[in-house]
Amino acid sequence: MLVECFCREIRASYGRLQLSFQQTEDWPQDRSEHVTIALLTGLETCIANAHERLIVEESNVPTVKSPDQAQGFFGNMVSGVFNSEGGQGRPNTANDRLTVLLCFQDAVRLCFSIWAWGAGDHSDSPPDCESLASFQYTSLRMRNRSRRILEHFFTAEALECLETLVEMWTKADTETASLIFNLLHTLDGSSPKITIPAIFNAIYTRTNPSALDPSRKSSLTSNLSESELASFLVTYARSLDDDVLDEIWTDCTTFLRDVLSNPFPHRQILPRLIEFAAILGVKLEKTTFGEDRRMRKELGDVLLRLLTAVFTSKPLGLNHDTGPMARSSVDHDRTSVSHTGPDDMLSILAVSMPSFITTLGDSDRINTAITSVSTNVVGPLIRSRLFPNNLNRNVMVLLQQMAKVPAAAKMWKKDIADAFHDTRFFGLQLDLVKNSWMDLLRQWVLADKERLSELLVRLPPPSSAGIMFGVGASAARLEADRKAQLNLRRIALLLLSASDDYFVGELPALLQKLEDLLAATSASSPSSATRAEVFMVLRAVALKTSASAMAPFWPLINVELQEAISAVPQGSQPEVYNSYSLLQACKLLDILLILAPDDFQLLEWLFVTDTIDAVYPPDRWEPIALADEVSQSFGPRGASSSTVPTEIIEPPARGGLKQPWLISDWIRETAKDDIVERVLRPFFTRLSIYVFESTYGMGSVDLTVCRDDLLADLFNESTMAN
């Protein structure tokens, strides 16, 4: 009750002191810092006397040590950190200790709030400059007094005081959490040599208390889990200077080896311990202390054993629960990964993989680690029935980190190949494809240039031999169409991901395959349903191929575009063109008109009017361009026709860059039967005008928009045969 009274009066006095710097009028006598400091002294004296009496009581209780007490890290670690903690032989002694420790917790929270005054962003600073000097003087006195009290508390009960701060950290905002670490770095009683073993003791008390010496056990008065303590351990270790590694090295490695001797009780925090070991590895590389090969090898062995323990105790090393933990261990550095759970092995590996590579050093051990991650994490995700919806940014970051390791090329190339050749691959989220998969595929084709040739072999020419009728024949043809469509989309994706002209040697073989597929009919296998994908491949070729390398494609492109555009007024023709094939043909024409390759400029007049007549047609003008002929063949729009979306009337423009016309997302969502009327009809009506204005607008081509639109078409599964 006395401590509670002290705390209440200190809060009231401290509150009045804070208020005095916000309201400088009517300053009463009790608003000076002397009152609060005197009360703090009384609180410290009260708790000190209670703690001394507790020590005397506990010293009179004989400590009974179990004969089978485990000997290891906690039996042999340097003593002297928590000598004040004794046995709890009688219930009244245990109750007294609990009461004193609760008083310690209240006092630590109160002293921290006073110490933090004026230490943050100075949001409590006085509004007027006249009292700024007084504020700085007063807050400094208060901070110094509270810091000295905290020093004494940590000297007496370091473990309990530390757990109190950790509990505050789990509930604090980012600024307060940073202040907690600043306080720990300031106090002599919470130096890393003391704090790190204390965290280990707190963790072991909750995971395997029977293996811990009774004098080192926590009283468990703080509401903390081992996961929160492990998260705090990682964040605290990351905040330490590199030079303190020699002080904590022995304790850290001994603790990790002790955990590995019996990993099952610690299975919930093993991923965090991997992250902790990776942080030690980074600090080891930055100090002269890390020049000892023996230490690097020792830490590398611990890392490999931790990985094995994670994948053994928790299959896949993953926790599929989505509930976030109170705080991410990387919040201290404000990295891009936030609110990772204690078992979120993907996030931890994504952040720690570069450190793994540095710490392991030896190529054999790196290969072992990458193989383990591939076998237990990445591989099962790719082969899962949830693929590709189970791939997120962390998986992609992990794959990108693995792809940077030449020694592990066999494993990461296999993972990428398995995902790429999966029939569900084109169900990936488009953002993941743009931000991650394109870079991965670029690295993949750089490592093995034969990828495109392998796909070309998988494209059989259309066959009409042995055509049968009935349900079985339709199903077989549908399966052949789907396989051809998937392979054509894979080819287009590889072309887009690689550098310009990277596959120039394979272009003749690609041209031959496309010519074969364009000869398909509705009855062949594969059928003419693959025409849309052929036009997508030609768009990719146009975007990634130089004029000289693309020269052999122009006869094919010219003939196919003329035939497809001429078929637009008749609408969908199942024998040759469906609505989506017509749309893709128009998109190919659209992008060629924007890119305007030299060879295509000789053919441009066949498709659009490239003179001023496009804007101001003369009287009784008869167009010769195919687009204008198609527009005239549609005739005037009737009153019953569907409304034309505004996006098609006013094509988008951005920063003076030339963009294709047919790039709006709603076009991909248009029903198949409405494509000609709602999309292609207005497209041909104004195409010549749009191209004329774009050409003489003298803008550069927005290649990013062209690429993104093609990617969106490739990953639109609704347009595939089904």
Side-chain angles (χ1 to χ4, degrees), residues 593-594 651 656-659 661 687-700:
L593 291 170
I594 292 297
L657 298 176
K658 294 195 296 184
Q659 298 180 358
W661 183 307
L687 180 59
S688 292
I689 298 175
Y690 179 67
V691 172
F692 183 85
E693 292 176 346
S694 297
T695 301
Y696 291 97
M698 305 299 289
S700 301

Side-chain angles (χ1 to χ4, degrees), residues 42-271:
L43 174 65
E44 180 185 15
T45 303
C46 178
I47 294 179
N49 290 334
H51 189 262
E52 288 176 2
R53 291 181 62 86
L54 177 65
I55 296 300
V56 172
E57 288 183 10
E58 291 181 341
S59 63
N60 295 328
V61 178
T63 301
V64 180
K65 186 173 182 179
S66 173
D68 57 349
Q69 182 71 40
Q71 297 297 318
F73 166 71
F74 299 98
N76 301 325
M77 197 173 63
V78 179
S79 60
V81 179
F82 311 117
N83 289 334
S84 59
E85 296 183 19
Q88 301 178 13
R90 297 195 306 268
N92 59 339
T93 304
N95 291 336
D96 291 344
R97 179 166 185 78
L98 178 61
T99 302
V100 172
L101 293 181
L102 291 176
C103 293
F104 265 88
Q105 290 185 1
D106 292 339
V108 167
R109 293 189 182 96
L110 180 59
C111 289
F112 172 77
S113 65
I114 296 175
W115 179 87
W117 187 33
D121 58 357
H122 299 287
S123 57
D124 295 330
S125 299
D128 58 323
C129 298
E130 295 180 358
S131 59
L132 181 60
S134 297
F135 169 78
Q136 292 175 342
Y137 169 77
T138 303
S139 62
L140 181 60
R141 284 200 65 192
M142 298 290 292
R143 293 188 70 201
N144 288 340
R145 186 68 186 98
S146 59
R147 182 176 60 81
R148 285 196 298 271
I149 295 175
L150 287 170
E151 287 276 16
H152 298 156
F153 286 166
F154 267 85
T155 302
E157 294 286 348
L159 178 56
E160 304 301 333
C161 293
L162 178 64
E163 286 193 358
T164 303
L165 290 179
V166 175
E167 186 178 11
M168 294 169 59
W169 175 82
T170 60
K171 302 173 183 177
D173 54 27
T174 303
E175 183 181 354
T176 305
S178 177
L179 289 176
I180 290 174
F181 285 109
N182 291 342
L183 175 63
L184 288 174
H185 297 326
T186 302
L187 299 177
D188 293 335
S190 61
S191 63
K193 192 172 183 179
I194 296 175
T195 300
I196 289 290
I199 300 175
F200 294 159
N201 287 338
I203 291 174
Y204 234 87
T205 302
R206 290 160 176 82
T207 56
N208 192 15
S210 61
L212 188 64
D213 189 279
S215 64
R216 302 188 185 281
K217 288 183 181 179
S218 166
S219 64
L220 300 178
T221 53
S222 298
N223 185 20
L224 289 171
S225 66
E226 65 269 24
S227 299
E228 290 170 327
L229 285 165
S231 181
F232 181 84
L233 171 66
V234 169
T235 314
Y236 176 73
R238 186 178 281 111
S239 70
L240 293 175
D241 292 334
D242 299 334
D243 295 335
V244 304
L245 186 62
D246 58 340
E247 299 178 13
I248 63 174
W249 177 261
T250 302
D251 292 338
C252 293
T253 53
T254 308
F255 168 74
L256 292 174
R257 285 197 301 269
D258 204 64
V259 168
L260 287 170
S261 65
N262 184 18
F264 186 75
H266 311 87
R267 60 192 180 280
Q268 296 296 335
I269 63 170
L270 286 176

Side-chain angles (χ1 to χ4, degrees), residues 425-643:
F425 179 77
F426 289 98
L428 278 168
Q429 298 176 14
L430 194 57
D431 288 340
L432 276 183
V433 176
K434 294 177 184 177
N435 299 328
S436 301
W437 273 105
M438 295 299 285
D439 292 334
L440 276 174
L441 292 175
R442 180 180 295 109
Q443 197 156 351
W444 189 47
V445 297
L446 284 173
D448 189 354
K449 199 173 182 179
E450 299 300 319
R451 297 299 177 185
L452 186 60
S453 300
E454 294 174 1
L455 289 174
L456 292 176
V457 173
R458 298 187 180 192
L459 283 176
S463 173
S464 57
I467 290 181
M468 296 182 297
F469 299 95
V471 177
S474 298
R477 188 179 301 112
L478 189 65
E479 180 65 20
D481 287 348
R482 186 168 179 83
K483 287 182 178 179
Q485 287 176 325
L486 284 171
N487 285 322
L488 285 169
R489 294 191 183 208
R490 291 176 183 131
I491 290 171
L493 185 59
L494 285 187
L495 290 171
L496 273 184
S497 64
S499 304
D500 292 353
D501 286 332
Y502 183 76
F503 289 113
V504 67
E506 284 78 12
L507 290 183
L510 174 62
L511 177 60
Q512 182 61 49
K513 289 291 184 180
L514 296 182
E515 289 176 345
D516 293 342
L517 287 172
L518 287 171
T521 64
S522 60
S524 62
S525 177
S527 69
S528 57
T530 59
R531 261 181 166 74
E533 279 70 22
V534 171
F535 288 126
M536 290 186 196
V537 173
L538 291 174
R539 284 166 65 190
V541 171
L543 284 170
K544 305 296 289 188
T545 309
S546 60
S548 58
M550 196 174 173
F553 284 83
W554 291 118
L556 173 69
I557 292 174
N558 185 23
V559 171
E560 289 302 321
L561 279 182
Q562 290 193 53
E563 290 183 359
I565 294 173
S566 299
V568 169
Q570 287 78 37
S572 178
Q573 300 178 12
E575 287 293 326
V576 184
Y577 300 103
N578 57 34
S579 298
Y580 196 67
S581 299
L582 295 177
L583 175 61
Q584 288 301 322
C586 293
K587 285 198 169 192
L588 174 60
L589 173 62
D590 193 14
I591 201 169
L592 289 175
L593 291 170
I594 292 297
L595 294 174
D598 292 341
D599 291 339
F600 182 72
Q601 292 180 29
L602 302 175
L603 308 172
E604 184 177 326
W605 64 274
L606 294 172
F607 300 99
V608 294
T609 302
D610 55 357
T611 65
I612 194 64
D613 292 344
V615 182
Y616 302 105
D619 295 337
R620 293 189 296 275
W621 176 62
E622 292 294 333
I624 59 174
L626 195 55
D628 297 321
E629 289 181 356
V630 170
S631 177
Q632 282 193 351
S633 68
F634 277 119
R637 178 177 292 274
S640 61
S641 299
S642 58
T643 304

Side-chain angles (χ1 to χ4, degrees), residues 307-369:
L307 279 175
T308 303
V310 168
F311 299 139
T312 302
S313 61
K314 293 180 70 63
L316 301 184
L318 302 171
N319 181 10
H320 297 290
D321 297 337
T322 57
M325 208 191 74
R327 175 177 306 280
S328 165
S329 68
V330 293
D331 279 352
H332 182 73
D333 284 352
R334 297 183 180 180
T335 58
S336 56
V337 183
S338 60
H339 298 291
T340 52
D343 294 332
D344 188 1
M345 193 62 186
L346 282 176
S347 299
I348 291 174
L349 286 176
V351 173
S352 304
M353 184 58 71
S355 306
F356 283 11
I357 307 306
T358 303
T359 303
L360 294 174
D362 181 69
S363 59
D364 290 339
R365 289 195 294 179
I366 292 175
N367 190 44
T368 301

Side-chain angles (χ1 to χ4, degrees), residues 6-25:
F6 267 115
C7 291
R8 183 172 60 251
E9 290 300 319
I10 290 172
R11 289 191 186 95
S13 175
Y14 174 55
R16 290 192 296 269
L17 182 61
Q18 287 179 302
L19 187 62
S20 67
F21 288 99
Q22 302 297 328
Q23 300 176 1
T24 55
E25 300 177 359

